[in-house]
């Protein structure tokens, strides 16, 4: 028998799209695609004469834009975000970096000086190591990337209020554990009764439940706290002190007082006739 000849797999050819094909693949109208090009949200296509050819990285960018718009980002904010990350990352990696489809946070690029301004006096090697371990910070060349604008602002505000950054990071680690448990709980609930495909669609409901329960829990805890001792009140200035009582004149030493003679009784009055 003849031994079959093994053929080497041919390298996959990257697909390219014309304007209409790219818009259809991304699920948007052609006019929207052209608008994104005018706003420079898409890199320029490859040109062959009058034909514009787009690649998979253009499709990835369009899906990223759609996901960010769905989560409330503006086109201006998306343009700034993609421009910032293109300095050190390929545009096709932006969706992966943000966890598009799930991630809702806006990363922030910082210089070491910017980070020091956010956490004055708290940027120690221990705190940096803890932040990297939690995934809050990542390095990209000479820049530092914080994973979430909201977490960055909250952490900085707590430090300005006097909470040590090490305590903030430790609390963040504990919150992460509870958040992972809650995410697993809701994922199991939705997957078991509706289907795994519905998890992404119903995620806002889970967020609402967690926010409401946390608000009520903090209210219950506040009611259980013992009242703080009241500071002693100073007397009001309008309350004048009572005047001292008049005292009897002191006796003169060596001179006994002469007793007053008793007054004779008055005769009773007779009625006039």
């Amino acid at each position: 028998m003849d031994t079959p000849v093994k053929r080497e797999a041919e390298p996959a050819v990257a697909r390219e799209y014309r304007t209409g094909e790219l818009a259809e693949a991304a699920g948007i109208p052609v006019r929207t695609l052209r608008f994104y090009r005018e706003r420079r949200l898409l890199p320029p296509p490859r040109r062959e004469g009058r034909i514009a050819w787009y690649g998979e990285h253009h499709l990835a960018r369009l899906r990223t834009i759609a996901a960010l718009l769905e989560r409330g980002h503006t086109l201006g904010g998306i343009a700034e975000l993609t421009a910032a990350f293109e300095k050190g990352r390929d545009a096709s990696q932006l969706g992966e970096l943000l966890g598009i489809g799930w991630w809702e946070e806006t990363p922030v690029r910082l210089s070491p000086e910017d980070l020091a301004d956010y956490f004055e006096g708290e940027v120690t090697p221990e705190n940096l190591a803890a932040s990297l371990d939690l995934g809050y910070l990542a390095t990209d060349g000479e820049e530092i990337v914080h994973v979430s604008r909201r977490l960055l602002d909250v952490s900085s505000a707590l430090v300005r209020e006097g909470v040590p950054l090490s305590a903030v990071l430790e609390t963040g680690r504990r919150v992460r554990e509870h958040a992972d448990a809650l995410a697993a709980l809701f994922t199991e609930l939705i997957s078991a009764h509706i289907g795994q495909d519905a998890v992404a669609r119903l995620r806002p409901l889970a967020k609402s439940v967690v926010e409401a329960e946390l608000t009520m829990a903090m209210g219950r805890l506040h009611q259980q706290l013992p009242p703080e001792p009241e500071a002693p009140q100073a007397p009001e200035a309008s309350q004048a002190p009572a005047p001292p009582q008049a005292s009897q004149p002191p006796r003169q030493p060596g001179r006994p007082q002469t007793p007053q003679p008793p007054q004779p009784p008055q005769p009773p009055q007779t009625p006039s006739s």
Side-chain angles (χ1 to χ4, degrees):
M1 295 179 61
D2 295 334
T3 304
V5 179
K6 295 183 178 179
R7 296 182 178 180
E8 295 181 1
E10 296 180 0
V13 179
R15 181 177 176 181
E16 290 189 310
Y17 305 83
R18 294 194 179 196
T19 301
E21 294 173 341
L22 179 64
E24 182 180 1
I28 61 174
V30 173
R31 64 178 180 274
T32 302
L33 173 59
R34 290 172 178 163
F35 175 73
Y36 290 165
R37 283 175 50 186
E38 294 172 359
R39 294 289 300 269
R40 297 185 178 181
L41 293 173
L42 283 178
R46 184 179 69 83
R47 291 281 182 179
E48 268 188 7
R50 300 181 61 182
I51 302 176
W53 291 100
Y54 298 88
E56 292 291 342
H57 63 290
H58 292 98
L59 181 59
R61 174 69 67 84
L62 289 174
R63 289 172 175 169
T64 297
I65 293 171
L68 291 173
L69 287 174
E70 183 181 353
R71 282 154 182 80
H73 293 268
T74 64
L75 288 176
I78 295 172
E80 294 177 1
L81 180 64
T82 54
F85 277 91
E86 282 177 351
K87 293 179 181 179
R89 302 178 188 270
D90 186 79
S92 62
Q93 296 177 343
L94 180 58
E96 178 182 355
L97 176 66
L98 295 178
I100 290 304
W102 293 97
W103 202 270
E104 299 181 3
E105 300 305 309
T106 301
V108 184
R109 281 183 172 269
L110 302 165
S111 66
E113 293 77 14
D114 294 334
L115 188 65
D117 290 339
Y118 269 98
F119 305 102
E120 185 175 356
E122 294 281 342
V123 182
T124 63
E126 294 78 11
N127 288 336
L128 283 174
S131 300
L132 291 168
D133 184 59
L134 283 168
Y136 289 162
L137 295 181
T139 57
D140 185 17
E142 296 182 355
E143 289 185 308
I144 300 170
V145 180
H146 196 289
V147 72
S148 168
R149 162 67 70 182
R150 289 194 294 179
L151 291 178
L152 174 63
D153 291 342
V154 170
S155 301
S156 177
L158 289 173
V159 170
R160 289 196 302 270
E161 290 288 338
V163 182
L165 181 57
S166 58
V168 173
L169 294 173
E170 174 59 21
T171 302
R173 183 190 64 78
R174 297 172 61 185
V175 169
R176 175 78 57 83
E177 295 175 355
H178 293 291
D180 288 343
L182 288 170
L185 178 65
F186 281 105
T187 299
E188 293 173 2
L189 173 69
I190 297 172
S191 299
H193 295 277
I194 303 174
Q196 189 173 356
D197 295 339
V199 174
R201 178 172 58 86
L202 298 180
R203 181 176 50 158
L205 301 182
K207 292 172 55 181
S208 297
V209 171
V210 172
E211 182 178 359
E213 286 289 353
L214 178 60
T215 301
M216 292 188 295
M218 295 189 71
R220 292 192 298 268
L221 183 61
H222 179 74
Q223 292 177 351
Q224 296 173 4
L225 294 176
E228 295 183 358
E230 297 182 358
Q233 297 182 354
E236 297 182 3
S238 60
Q239 294 180 352
Q245 296 181 355
S247 57
Q248 297 293 333
R251 296 182 178 182
Q252 296 294 329
R255 295 180 61 185
Q257 292 185 351
T258 304
Q260 297 293 331
Q263 297 292 331
Q266 296 292 333
Q269 294 182 359
T270 58
S272 59
S273 55

